[in-house]
Amino acid sequence: MKKDPLNSSDADETSRPGDSYVQSFARGLAVIRSFDAGRPAQTLTEVAAASGLTRAGARRILLTLQALGYVEADGRLFQLTPKILDLGFAYLTSMPFWNLAEPVMEELVEQVHESCSAAVLNGTDIVYVLRVPTHKIITQNLSIGSRLPAFCTSMGRMLLAALDDDKLDAVLGASDLTARTPRTVIDKAALKEAIDVVRSQGWAIVDQELEEGLISMSAPIRDRQGRIIAALNLSGNAQRKSARQMVKAYLEPLQAAAVRVSEMVARRG
Amino acid sequence: MKKDPLNSSDADETSRPGDSYVQSFARGLAVIRSFDAGRPAQTLTEVAAASGLTRAGARRILLTLQALGYVEADGRLFQLTPKILDLGFAYLTSMPFWNLAEPVMEELVEQVHESCSAAVLNGTDIVYVLRVPTHKIITQNLSIGSRLPAFCTSMGRMLLAALDDDKLDAVLGASDLTARTPRTVIDKAALKEAIDVVRSQGWAIVDQELEEGLISMSAPIRDRQGRIIAALNLSGNAQRKSARQMVKAYLEPLQAAAVRVSEMVARRG
C-alpha cells in the first residue's frame, strides 16, 4: 500500500518543480473530496481547513474548479456541481461488465427477492459499482461508490481470493482489522484460511461479520482470460434465513448469474 | 453557457502562467474523461489523441493520475481505478436529499410498480443522481451520472420551470433542440409555453418526446427556502398506460413522495 499523496498537504507547493504538478492536481482533488454530507456547502476558510491548504491555495483551487464548472458559488458558500459525476461515469462506463450485468442482476433479484450488488477491489476496500436493491424498504445506505472493508465482506473475500499470496499479505497487512461484530474474523492466519476456502470452493459467504443480522454470499465475475474482475453478491437477513438456508436457496442462482455476466464479458472482450 | 475549458486543448501550456494551473487541472480531468465504454483501456498514444494532448503532456498527466491512484497501468495499457468514484461520491453525499430520498423512492416503486429517479440540472442537461428501477427487466441504460437533454424530459421541464426567464432563455438558447421522436417539441416559444404550464400546475409530464413508448411525470424536491433543488419522476410504458391514465394513477403518490422528501430536507437543513 502506497502512501496516499492526498495526505501530503504539508509539502511546499513551490519547492519541488518536478512534483508540483502532481501536488497541485492532488490538492484539487482533495478540495473536491472535502465536500460531504457533513459539509455540503463550505466557505473558503472551511475548505482550507478541511483540505489542509492555505486560504490562498484553497482560493486558487476553488476558482479553478469553478472555472471548469465543478464547483459553484452562492454568496460566500461553495458547493460541488453534478458535473463531478462525469468523472465517475467515465469509470463506470469503462468497466467491461457495466450495462451487461445490470439486467442479469435485476432478474436475479426478481427471482430471489434479496438485494444484489457488484463490487471491485480498491486497496483494502471494496467499492460498490452496481446495486439492485430488493423493494423491502430496508435501506442499507449503500450506493455506487460506497466503500466497505474487504476483509469482513463476502465480495471482499471473493476478490481477495483472486490475489496471489504476496499481494494478499500486503492487503491484509494494510487493512484495519477492527471487529465489526463479535463474529468478525480479525486474525490474519484465520482470514487466510477463510480465503483459501473461498479459493477452493469458488464462492464466499460472510455470516454477520460486517453487521449483526446481515449475511452475504458472493460469486466471481471473470474476464475472457478467466481473471476475477469483480464480485456479485446477494445479501439477506439472518432472521429470515440462516447462512445454511441461504446457500441452499441462493447459491445456484447467484453462481448462474455470475457465469452469465462473465460469458457476456468474454463475448464482448 | 460558458465555453467549456476542457475543449481548449490547443492553448499553449506555458504561455500564460496565470492560467496554467487551471489548464493543467482541466487536462487532468480531460484525460479521465477520455476513458469510456469504447475506450476502457488505452495506450499513451490513444489517450493523447482522445484528449487532444501531446504525448509528453498525456504522459505527465497519466503518471500523475497513477501516482494518485486514479489510473493503473497493465503493460502499455492504462485504465481508470474505482478510486475515481470517490469524487462523484463526494458530490452525491453532499446533496441534502441523498439518503433521505432513496427509502421514499423505494416505497413509491413498491406502490406503483414503475421506475423512479431523481435528477438535477447541469447546464442544458439533467443528470441522474438516484434511481430505483422496477424489476421489469426493461433496462433503460440509465445510471447515476447519466445525462439527458433537459428540454425533452419531464425532470428537465420541471427543473427548467424553476429558472427565472433570463436563465431559461439562456439554457434554451444553448440547448441542442434536436427532435428525438415525431412528438418532440423543438420550437422555443412552444417549449416556453409548456414550461409555463409546468410552473402553474407544479408538475410536469412528457409523453413520448424523448423516446417512443416512454412517458414520464415529475414533481419537484424543494429546500427549506422553497427553491427547487431536484426533480423526482416516475416513468412508464405508453403501451400499458396512456399519459392521462398515468396522471390519474400516479400523480398523487408521486407528489406525496416529493413533498415527503422536501419536508425531510427542510427538517435537516
Side-chain angles (χ1 to χ4, degrees):
Chain A
M1 298 293 96
K2 275 174 295 186
K3 182 164 174 272
D4 184 355
L6 289 174
N7 291 329
S8 54
S9 55
D10 52 337
D12 183 347
E13 235 172 88
T14 52
S15 63
R16 290 180 298 170
D19 289 356
S20 72
Y21 181 65
V22 175
Q23 289 184 18
S24 298
F25 202 81
R27 286 182 181 147
L29 299 176
V31 165
I32 291 174
R33 292 164 63 145
S34 75
F35 292 88
D36 61 21
R39 294 185 294 245
Q42 302 181 91
T43 62
L44 171 58
T45 309
E46 287 165 345
V47 168
S51 54
L53 297 170
T54 61
R55 272 177 60 93
R59 185 167 179 281
R60 194 170 65 140
I61 288 168
L62 282 169
L63 293 179
T64 297
L65 291 171
Q66 195 178 1
L68 297 173
Y70 292 99
V71 159
E72 62 193 8
D74 183 7
R76 288 171 57 244
L77 289 173
F78 293 89
Q79 57 187 35
L80 299 177
T81 75
K83 193 173 173 186
I84 292 284
L85 292 176
D86 288 354
L87 305 175
F89 200 61
Y91 168 71
L92 290 173
T93 57
S94 75
M95 290 191 308
F97 57 92
W98 197 83
N99 263 4
L100 301 174
E102 199 170 16
V104 176
M105 291 165 65
E106 294 264 346
E107 275 185 58
L108 181 59
V109 170
E110 184 73 349
Q111 185 185 346
V112 304
H113 302 287
E114 300 288 357
S115 295
C116 178
S117 301
V120 297
L121 192 66
N122 187 228
T124 62
D125 291 336
I126 58 166
V127 180
Y128 280 73
V129 292
L130 279 169
R131 186 168 166 255
V132 178
T134 181
H135 300 151
K136 281 183 180 158
I137 335 246
I138 305 167
T139 305
Q140 283 192 279
N141 286 347
L142 287 172
S143 169
I144 289 174
S146 291
R147 288 174 175 270
L148 286 175
F151 83 96
C152 61
T153 54
S154 75
M155 289 196 283
R157 297 247 177 103
M158 192 71 245
L159 295 165
L160 292 175
L163 303 178
D164 62 38
D165 286 331
D166 287 351
K167 196 78 203 293
L168 176 60
D169 281 335
V171 173
L172 290 181
S175 295
D176 172 16
L177 302 177
T178 304
R180 302 295 198 100
T181 75
R183 289 167 175 256
T184 314
V185 176
I186 55 171
D187 175 71
K188 245 176 254 181
L191 277 171
K192 285 168 81 167
E193 269 174 45
I195 289 163
D196 265 340
V197 171
V198 174
R199 278 178 180 154
S200 60
Q201 74 191 11
W203 52 275
I205 187 160
V206 166
D207 182 2
Q208 306 179 71
E209 294 187 44
L210 176 69
E211 196 183 309
E212 299 271 4
L214 185 74
I215 303 175
S216 167
M217 290 171 57
S218 295
I221 298 177
R222 295 173 187 275
D223 66 10
R224 187 150 62 164
Q225 287 79 39
R227 289 178 301 204
I228 294 176
I229 54 173
L232 200 68
N233 92 332
L234 281 175
S235 58
N237 189 312
Q239 250 84 69
R240 285 196 304 265
K241 271 196 170 61
S242 69
R244 185 188 293 265
Q245 288 169 323
M246 274 193 67
V247 171
K248 198 169 169 207
Y250 303 147
L251 179 59
E252 213 174 304
L254 172 66
Q255 287 184 309
V259 166
R260 268 181 72 195
V261 175
S262 301
E263 285 170 353
M264 287 166 150
V265 170
R267 268 201 300 278
R268 226 183 53 164
Chain B
M1 298 295 98
K2 275 173 297 185
K3 183 164 173 269
D4 184 354
L6 289 174
N7 290 328
S8 53
S9 56
D10 52 338
D12 182 347
E13 235 171 270
T14 52
S15 63
R16 291 179 298 171
D19 289 355
S20 72
Y21 180 66
V22 175
Q23 289 184 19
S24 296
F25 202 80
R27 284 179 183 149
L29 299 176
V31 165
I32 291 174
R33 293 165 61 146
S34 75
F35 292 87
D36 60 22
R39 294 185 294 243
Q42 301 181 92
T43 63
L44 171 57
T45 310
E46 286 166 344
V47 168
S51 53
L53 296 170
T54 61
R55 271 177 61 92
R59 185 168 180 281
R60 194 170 64 142
I61 286 168
L62 283 169
L63 293 179
T64 297
L65 290 171
Q66 194 177 0
L68 297 174
Y70 293 98
V71 159
E72 62 192 7
D74 184 7
R76 288 172 57 245
L77 288 173
F78 293 90
Q79 55 188 37
L80 299 178
T81 75
K83 194 175 173 185
I84 291 286
L85 292 177
D86 289 353
L87 305 175
F89 202 59
Y91 168 71
L92 289 174
T93 56
S94 76
M95 290 192 310
F97 60 91
W98 195 82
N99 263 1
L100 302 174
E102 200 169 16
V104 176
M105 291 164 66
E106 295 263 346
E107 275 185 56
L108 181 59
V109 170
E110 184 73 349
Q111 184 185 348
V112 305
H113 301 288
E114 301 287 357
S115 295
C116 178
S117 301
V120 295
L121 192 66
N122 186 228
T124 62
D125 291 336
I126 58 167
V127 180
Y128 280 72
V129 291
L130 280 170
R131 187 171 164 254
V132 178
T134 180
H135 301 151
K136 281 183 179 157
I137 337 246
I138 305 165
T139 304
Q140 282 191 280
N141 285 347
L142 287 172
S143 168
I144 289 174
S146 292
R147 288 174 175 269
L148 286 175
F151 83 97
C152 61
T153 54
S154 74
M155 290 196 282
R157 296 246 177 103
M158 191 71 246
L159 295 165
L160 292 175
L163 302 178
D164 63 39
D165 287 334
D166 286 352
K167 196 80 203 293
L168 176 60
D169 281 336
V171 173
L172 291 180
S175 295
D176 172 16
L177 302 177
T178 304
R180 302 295 197 100
T181 76
R183 289 166 175 257
T184 313
V185 176
I186 55 170
D187 176 69
K188 243 176 256 181
L191 276 171
K192 285 169 81 166
E193 269 173 45
I195 289 164
D196 265 339
V197 171
V198 173
R199 279 180 180 152
S200 61
Q201 75 191 9
W203 53 276
I205 187 161
V206 166
D207 183 2
Q208 306 180 69
E209 293 187 44
L210 175 70
E211 197 183 308
E212 300 270 6
L214 185 73
I215 303 176
S216 167
M217 288 171 59
S218 295
I221 297 177
R222 295 173 187 275
D223 66 10
R224 188 150 61 165
Q225 286 78 39
R227 290 177 301 201
I228 294 176
I229 54 173
L232 199 69
N233 91 331
L234 281 175
S235 59
N237 188 313
Q239 251 84 69
R240 284 197 305 264
K241 273 197 168 60
S242 69
R244 185 188 297 264
Q245 288 169 325
M246 273 193 66
V247 171
K248 198 169 169 208
Y250 302 147
L251 178 59
E252 215 174 302
L254 172 65
Q255 287 183 310
V259 166
R260 268 182 70 195
V261 176
S262 302
E263 284 169 353
M264 288 165 152
V265 170
R267 266 202 299 279
R268 226 183 51 161

